[in-house]
Amino acid sequence: MALDLFSPASLGSIALKNRMVMAPLTRNRAGEGGVPQALNVTYYEQRATAGLIITEATPISPMAHGYPALPGVYTDAQVAGWKKITDAVHDKGGKIVLQLWHVGRISHPSLLPNGELPVAPSAIKPAGKAFTYQGLVDYVEPRALDVSELPAIVADYVHATQCALAAGFDGVEIHAANGYLLDQFLRDGTNKRTDNYGGSFENRVRLLMEVTKAVVAVAGSDKVGIRISPVNPFNDMHDSNPQALFNYVAETLNQFNLAYLHVLEGGVHGGGIADPFDFVALRKLFKNA
């Protein structure tokens, strides 16, 4: 039976007035301190007739930034700025979830506190250039995260989720796609670790599962989605066996009874040619939307 795009739908406990979902789109329009401003409010309010808006990817901490003028979701001022946006969307009858983001190696010291190196699962410099306040500059070799640092990153996701809920969001989406930190742990082109976070599928998905478990504990599984991009080559990404890896990801995520899985087909941003992938097979493995 064909579905009407204008008929209601549900993603977990998020009731949508129609079946159109606005994808996350990075805008680089935040004010000082990563605080959403009037321009951001207008932007989202204009699009509130969509059944659901997924916000632009939003850094969960100062170390999670990778581009200029991004809105964050970890300070009181940022929460207050986002609250104006969620109020405006809700006043128009829309629903909105916030996309939680850590860029990992796709950053530059000039964008990070005290000029620190970007962090990653392994110290592998990405091809390409970083977009900074000074223009395009070469990426640097990131610092490989020590296993002792990973609980603090999980805690950053928890704090950001708490901030998102305080700002009035209807849920959150964990960004595990497009070559950013969680995707860097998933794919073996960027993850060369030999500890419990590298090697096997089970090990490479471990951080994503820890983040998901922690975020679900705060928001409830019915308000949490995840975005993946199995074969997107953007940000110098690849994997030796993406079908088997992401089939495993989808099946393993079923334990959380999530609101939805958001899957990017193919590639974006002219980042190369995507490997062949059976998205229908992946869809059959995930139990929810």
Side-chain angles (χ1 to χ4, degrees):
M1 182 181 71
L3 288 171
D4 181 350
L5 274 175
F6 293 94
S7 65
S10 293
L11 296 176
S13 65
I14 307 171
L16 312 185
K17 62 187 177 184
N18 62 54
R19 295 171 180 271
M20 287 175 280
V21 178
M22 177 178 152
L25 297 163
T26 298
R27 301 290 83 173
N28 307 92
R29 292 172 175 172
E32 187 175 351
V35 177
Q37 52 188 336
L39 179 62
N40 304 90
V41 177
T42 300
Y43 172 76
Y44 285 108
E45 183 179 33
Q46 288 173 337
R47 291 153 177 82
T49 51
L52 178 68
I53 294 173
I54 303 169
T55 70
E56 60 205 281
T58 305
I60 60 170
S61 72
M63 277 298 294
H65 282 263
Y67 301 88
L70 297 174
V73 65
Y74 50 87
T75 71
D76 290 345
Q78 291 164 356
V79 169
W82 280 117
K83 185 67 167 64
K84 295 176 183 176
I85 291 171
T86 62
D87 285 348
V89 171
H90 291 152
D91 285 347
K92 291 288 183 69
K95 298 294 175 70
I96 183 168
V97 300
L98 183 133
Q99 193 185 61
L100 302 169
W101 196 23
H102 194 308
V103 302
R105 69 178 187 162
I106 304 301
S107 188
H108 187 267
S110 66
L111 297 166
L112 299 175
N114 305 313
E116 294 186 45
L117 285 174
V119 296
S122 303
I124 301 171
K125 177 184 174 180
K129 294 183 180 292
F131 176 31
T132 74
Y133 288 100
Q134 291 74 44
L136 293 173
V137 298
D138 288 340
Y139 284 120
V140 300
E141 182 178 296
R143 178 177 66 80
L145 284 159
D146 187 80
V147 69
S148 66
E149 297 177 276
L150 299 181
I153 289 179
V154 175
D156 286 337
Y157 278 94
V158 169
H159 175 65
T161 302
Q162 293 167 334
C163 288
L165 297 177
F169 282 97
D170 298 292
V172 295
E173 178 177 291
I174 298 167
H175 193 349
N178 298 351
Y180 299 110
L181 183 66
L182 295 177
D183 195 25
Q184 291 160 26
F185 271 87
L186 291 176
R187 298 203 247 181
D188 60 16
T190 42
N191 185 343
K192 305 296 184 182
R193 300 176 74 95
T194 57
D195 58 14
N196 287 340
Y197 291 86
S200 68
F201 292 165
E202 180 183 10
N203 285 352
R204 281 187 274 146
V205 307
R206 190 180 306 277
L207 182 60
L208 174 59
M209 298 306 156
E210 290 175 349
V211 167
T212 304
K213 181 179 179 180
V215 169
V216 162
V218 174
S221 61
D222 57 344
K223 294 181 179 180
V224 177
I226 290 182
R227 191 184 205 202
I228 58 173
S229 57
V231 289
N232 188 5
F234 182 57
N235 283 326
D236 197 20
M237 295 296 292
H238 61 89
D239 187 82
S240 62
N241 192 353
Q243 190 77 55
L245 169 63
F246 284 93
N247 285 357
Y248 181 84
V249 169
E251 289 185 296
T252 307
L253 286 173
N254 281 325
Q255 66 184 290
F256 298 109
N257 195 30
L258 298 173
Y260 66 88
L261 181 62
H262 177 181
V263 184
L264 179 76
E265 296 185 39
V268 296
H269 301 317
I273 298 172
D275 292 327
F277 194 88
D278 187 345
F279 288 95
V280 174
L282 180 75
R283 179 38 193 126
K284 290 177 180 177
L285 293 171
F286 189 72
K287 295 178 180 177
N288 292 356

